[in-house]
């Protein structure tokens, strides 16, 4: 059989062309489907799909670990232009084959629902447009990865200026902030050009799919069957009602503690008591080993998972020139390994990011043994519960006496920063989410970056109360341009807000019985994509909510804990 010749090492397929994949697609397409042959068909389809997904994933990762790597860039571009349209077409044909058979693999109701939506959206004329989107994403990363500044006689990335934001010297903080923002502003026109091309593509994609607008297209494309755009907007309004006043109080308290007349954007990370910045680790090895110890405290199996990541070189954590910004967890389904990418610069945020991405890794490990393609692709709203809940569940182990990084006092300080950050994040999430709703329901207007600037400023004023940008207004439009999701992953942001609410509920359970809460957490992760979103939340001991009362419960718990830690 053809499938005996599939490479066991995905790197052997990095330079494959359509013809190399066609043999396997033709084999699957020619098979007769029946109850007796269904399992073999699904297993072979899964093996093939996992190879394709891993080749795609590894090539994409290679363009982010070094945005100046021309070999990696050309390999990924060749995949996007030659292989990607072919495999998308093949996937659609195989989806149709399974759906029209009337057969249903075990625990496959949710993937079948998603397949039907994909079939409805599929248009052959969109395949080259989707490939072009992938190429634009590489352009975006190259712009961000090339943002260098001179600081104290050295060339550094704008990311490497982050530790200065923690220093006690306010003038140095201001200088570093302005230097980074001035550098970002230099790329504004390049990003404007990129934005116009993105918007043109997305308008064509929605039109080709016979959708009234790109928001409608993306809602179905993201398989959001369990909530509506109106639910998302209602959640943003609940944040405005419940969270914005609390965030404003946090900012006001910070201003008073710092003794400044205006709370400026370079005043948001420095310690309000004048203590030196938290310095959690000396090198990447220490960061990795201590995080592994913390995960082992939460649950020995989780520590074991992270140990496998270290052993198999599935971590790229340090910041450097020509490395894409941000952090993510990718999953390589053929080798059944997650991969963590981030930009560590020696600050506590690195710890939070690694705890977060570790949660994604655990999701991948727990769901890795589900039998069929589609089973291991859980909804992103729940993927973020996996990561955000882990940040909270692991937080009691930040103290060195519990296996972590800090003294008891500094561990409390780190937890306060984290919990306050949850409060102040929700309003920012609402800005990004509301912005994207406006963009894709006002497509023509939003194609003009100047109009986007105006809307961003309006939403910032509505949700982000308490930070003084007077005289700095021209820097605010940098913020939506540096938010990669807006460019590369449209409509991906509400997931963070909903998941944070779910994660706080999981954390609340852990405060009562950590062993039980962790057991529920792991059980829910292991379900993968076999249950609809509300059921996944329920399995983890939470509920999918958009309302002000549920949000109020979470905010109250956070405020109570902050008072206890202070």
């Amino acid at each position: 059989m053809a499938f005996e010749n599939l490479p066991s090492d995905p790197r052997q397929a990095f330079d494959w062309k359509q013809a190399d994949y066609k043999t396997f697609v033709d084999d699957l397409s020619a098979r007769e489907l029946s109850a007796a042959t269904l399992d073999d068909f699904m297993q072979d389809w899964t093996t093939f799909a996992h190879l394709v997904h891993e080749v795609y994933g590894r090539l994409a990762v290679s363009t982010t670990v070094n945005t100046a790597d021309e070999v990696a860039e050309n390999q990924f571009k060749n995949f996007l232009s030659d292989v990607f349209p072919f495999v998308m077409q093949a996937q659609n044909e195989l989806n149709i084959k399974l759906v029209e058979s009337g057969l249903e693999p075990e625990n496959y109701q949710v993937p079948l629902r998603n397949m039907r939506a994909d079939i409805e959206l599929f248009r052959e004329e969109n395949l080259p447009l989707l490939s072009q989107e992938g190429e634009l994403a590489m352009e975006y990363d190259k712009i961000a990865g090339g943002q260098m500044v001179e600081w104290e006689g050295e060339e550094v990335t704008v990311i490497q200026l982050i530790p200065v934001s923690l220093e006690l010297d306010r003038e140095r903080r201001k200088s570093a902030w302005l230097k980074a923002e001035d550098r970002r502003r230099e790329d504004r026109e390049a990003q404007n050009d990129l934005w116009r091309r993105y918007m043109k593509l997305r308008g064509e994609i929605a039109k080709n799919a016979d959708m009234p607008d790109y928001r409608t297209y993306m809602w179905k494309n993201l398989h959001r069957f369990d909530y509506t755009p109106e639910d998302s907007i209602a959640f943003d309004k609940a944040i405005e009602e419940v969270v914005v006043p609390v965030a404003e109080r946090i900012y006001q308290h910070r201003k008073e503690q710092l003794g400044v007349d205006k709370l400026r954007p370079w005043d948001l990370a420095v310690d309000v008591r004048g203590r030196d910045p938290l310095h959690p680790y000396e090198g990447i090895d220490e960061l990795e080993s201590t995080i592994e110890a913390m995960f082992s405290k939460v649950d020995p199996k989780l520590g074991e998972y992270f140990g496998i990541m270290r052993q198999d070189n599935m971590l790229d954590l340090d910041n450097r020139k020509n490395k894409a910004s941000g952090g993510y967890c990718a999953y390589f389904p053929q080798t059944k390994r997650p991969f963590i990418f981030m930009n560590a610069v020696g600050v506590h945020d690195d710890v939070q990011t690694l705890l977060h991405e570790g949660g994604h890794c655990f999701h991948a490990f727990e769901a890795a043994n589900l039998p069929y393609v589609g089973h291991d692709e859980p909804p992103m709203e729940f993927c973020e519960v996996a990561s955000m809940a882990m940040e909270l569940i692991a937080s009691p182990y930040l103290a060195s006496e519990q296996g972590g990084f800090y003294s008891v006092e500094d561990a409390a300080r780190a937890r306060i920063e984290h919990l306050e950050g949850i409060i102040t994040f929700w309003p920012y999430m609402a800005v990004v989410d509301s912005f994207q709703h406006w963009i894709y329901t006002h497509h023509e207007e939003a194609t003009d970056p100047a109009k986007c600037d105006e809307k961003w400023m309006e939403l910032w004023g509505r949700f982000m109360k308490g930070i003084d940008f007077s005289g700095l207004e021209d820097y605010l439009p940098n913020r939506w341009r540096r938010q990669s999701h807006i460019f590369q992953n449209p409509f991906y942001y509400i997931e963070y807000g909903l998941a944070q609410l779910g994660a706080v509920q999981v954390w609340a359970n852990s405060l009562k019985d950590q062993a039980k809460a962790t057991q529920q957490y792991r059980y829910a992760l292991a379900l993968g994509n076999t249950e609809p979103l509300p059921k996944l939340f329920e399995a983890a001991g939470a509920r999918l909510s958009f309302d002000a009362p549920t949000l109020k419960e979470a905010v109250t718990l956070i405020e109570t804990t902050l008072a206890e830690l202070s």
Side-chain angles (χ1 to χ4, degrees), residues 223-290:
H223 303 144
R224 290 179 177 170
F225 301 106
D226 300 298
Y227 66 102
T228 65
E230 291 70 31
D231 289 326
S232 178
I233 292 167
F235 187 56
D236 294 341
K237 289 181 177 176
I239 289 170
E240 184 175 20
E241 174 190 338
V242 174
V243 187
V244 169
V246 180
E248 190 173 12
R249 288 201 300 270
I250 287 173
Y251 289 133
Q252 177 63 26
H253 186 51
R254 167 169 282 271
K255 183 175 75 121
E256 292 169 357
Q257 287 182 296
L258 288 174
V260 295
D261 58 341
K262 296 178 180 179
L263 188 70
R264 305 294 256 170
W266 47 83
D267 295 326
L268 302 179
V270 64
D271 183 66
V272 292
R273 297 182 186 176
R275 294 169 292 189
D276 289 330
L278 290 171
H279 186 66
Y281 60 92
E282 291 299 331
I284 295 298
D285 284 345
E286 184 182 351
L287 172 63
E288 291 180 8
S289 63
T290 309

Side-chain angles (χ1 to χ4, degrees), residues 102-123:
L103 298 167
E104 184 174 310
E106 187 176 358
N107 289 329
Y108 217 68
Q109 287 183 333
V110 173
L112 272 176
R113 179 193 67 177
N114 296 349
M115 281 183 184
R116 294 186 183 100
D118 292 341
I119 291 168
E120 289 176 28
L121 285 181
F122 182 84
R123 300 292 186 278

Side-chain angles (χ1 to χ4, degrees), residues 338-409:
F339 171 86
I340 292 179
F341 170 100
M342 57 179 276
N343 282 275
V345 290
V347 297
H348 176 67
D349 192 55
D350 302 337
V351 174
Q352 290 299 141
T353 299
L354 195 47
L355 291 174
H356 178 100
E357 302 303 343
H360 285 309
C361 287
F362 303 148
H363 207 166
F365 276 111
E366 292 287 353
N369 293 319
L370 290 166
Y372 301 138
V373 62
H375 273 157
D376 56 355
E377 299 169 9
M380 294 311 301
E381 296 87 348
F382 192 68
C383 290
E384 298 300 345
V385 173
S387 57
M388 291 176 162
M390 184 47 55
E391 291 183 66
L392 288 161
I393 294 173
S395 63
Y397 305 105
L398 283 168
S400 56
E401 64 182 30
Q402 294 291 337
F405 296 89
Y406 303 119
S407 67
V408 172
E409 180 185 354

Side-chain angles (χ1 to χ4, degrees), residues 178-359:
L178 290 171
K179 190 171 281 287
E181 294 305 317
D182 282 335
R183 178 62 187 87
R184 290 185 174 108
R185 190 164 53 179
E186 289 177 22
D187 288 326
R188 192 172 291 182
E189 192 46 53
Q191 290 177 316
N192 287 350
D193 175 65
L194 196 59
W195 181 250
R196 295 183 192 100
R197 286 184 281 154
Y198 262 123
M199 291 298 285
K200 182 176 185 295
L201 274 179
R202 288 169 180 163
E204 292 175 8
I205 289 168
K207 183 179 179 181
N208 290 343
D210 302 310
M211 293 288 114
D213 54 50
Y214 188 73
R215 181 175 73 171
T216 308
Y217 170 86
M218 281 304 295
W219 221 260
K220 182 169 285 191
N221 186 53
L222 293 169
H223 303 144
R224 290 179 177 170
F225 301 106
D226 300 298
Y227 66 102
T228 65
E230 291 70 31
D231 289 326
S232 178
I233 292 167
F235 187 56
D236 294 341
K237 289 181 177 176
I239 289 170
E240 184 175 20
E241 174 190 338
V242 174
V243 187
V244 169
V246 180
E248 190 173 12
R249 288 201 300 270
I250 287 173
Y251 289 133
Q252 177 63 26
H253 186 51
R254 167 169 282 271
K255 183 175 75 121
E256 292 169 357
Q257 287 182 296
L258 288 174
V260 295
D261 58 341
K262 296 178 180 179
L263 188 70
R264 305 294 256 170
W266 47 83
D267 295 326
L268 302 179
V270 64
D271 183 66
V272 292
R273 297 182 186 176
R275 294 169 292 189
D276 289 330
L278 290 171
H279 186 66
Y281 60 92
E282 291 299 331
I284 295 298
D285 284 345
E286 184 182 351
L287 172 63
E288 291 180 8
S289 63
T290 309
I291 288 287
E292 182 177 346
M294 289 179 64
F295 286 145
S296 297
K297 284 282 191 174
V298 175
D299 186 293
K301 190 66 176 178
L302 302 184
E304 180 184 325
Y305 288 150
F306 193 75
I308 291 170
M309 298 279 293
R310 298 182 69 198
Q311 177 182 316
D312 291 355
N313 296 314
M314 289 290 109
L315 304 169
D316 185 340
L317 307 184
D318 60 312
N319 174 255
R320 56 186 178 269
K321 183 179 180 180
N322 293 321
K323 186 175 182 179
S325 60
Y328 61 77
C329 174
Y331 179 53
F332 301 144
Q334 184 180 18
T335 51
K336 297 186 184 298
R337 289 291 182 269
F339 171 86
I340 292 179
F341 170 100
M342 57 179 276
N343 282 275
V345 290
V347 297
H348 176 67
D349 192 55
D350 302 337
V351 174
Q352 290 299 141
T353 299
L354 195 47
L355 291 174
H356 178 100
E357 302 303 343

Side-chain angles (χ1 to χ4, degrees), residues 132-133 135-137 139-141 143 187-204 214 218 431-456 477-492:
Q132 290 175 47
E133 263 200 310
E135 293 186 13
L136 292 184
E139 284 191 46
Y140 181 89
D141 282 338
I143 292 171
D187 288 326
R188 192 172 291 182
E189 192 46 53
Q191 290 177 316
N192 287 350
D193 175 65
L194 196 59
W195 181 250
R196 295 183 192 100
R197 286 184 281 154
Y198 262 123
M199 291 298 285
K200 182 176 185 295
L201 274 179
R202 288 169 180 163
E204 292 175 8
Y214 188 73
M218 281 304 295
V431 173
V432 176
D433 186 56
S434 299
F435 187 58
Q436 298 203 86
H437 283 284
W438 173 81
I439 288 169
Y440 295 111
T441 54
H442 298 77
H443 200 108
E444 184 175 349
E445 185 179 359
T447 301
D448 179 356
K451 296 293 185 183
C452 291
D453 291 347
E454 293 173 11
K455 189 64 180 181
W456 181 261
N478 281 0
R479 197 62 186 84
W480 72 266
R481 289 175 177 83
R482 62 182 273 210
Q483 189 63 61
S484 62
H485 304 75
I486 294 172
F487 282 77
Q488 298 173 315
N489 306 101
F491 278 103
Y492 189 100

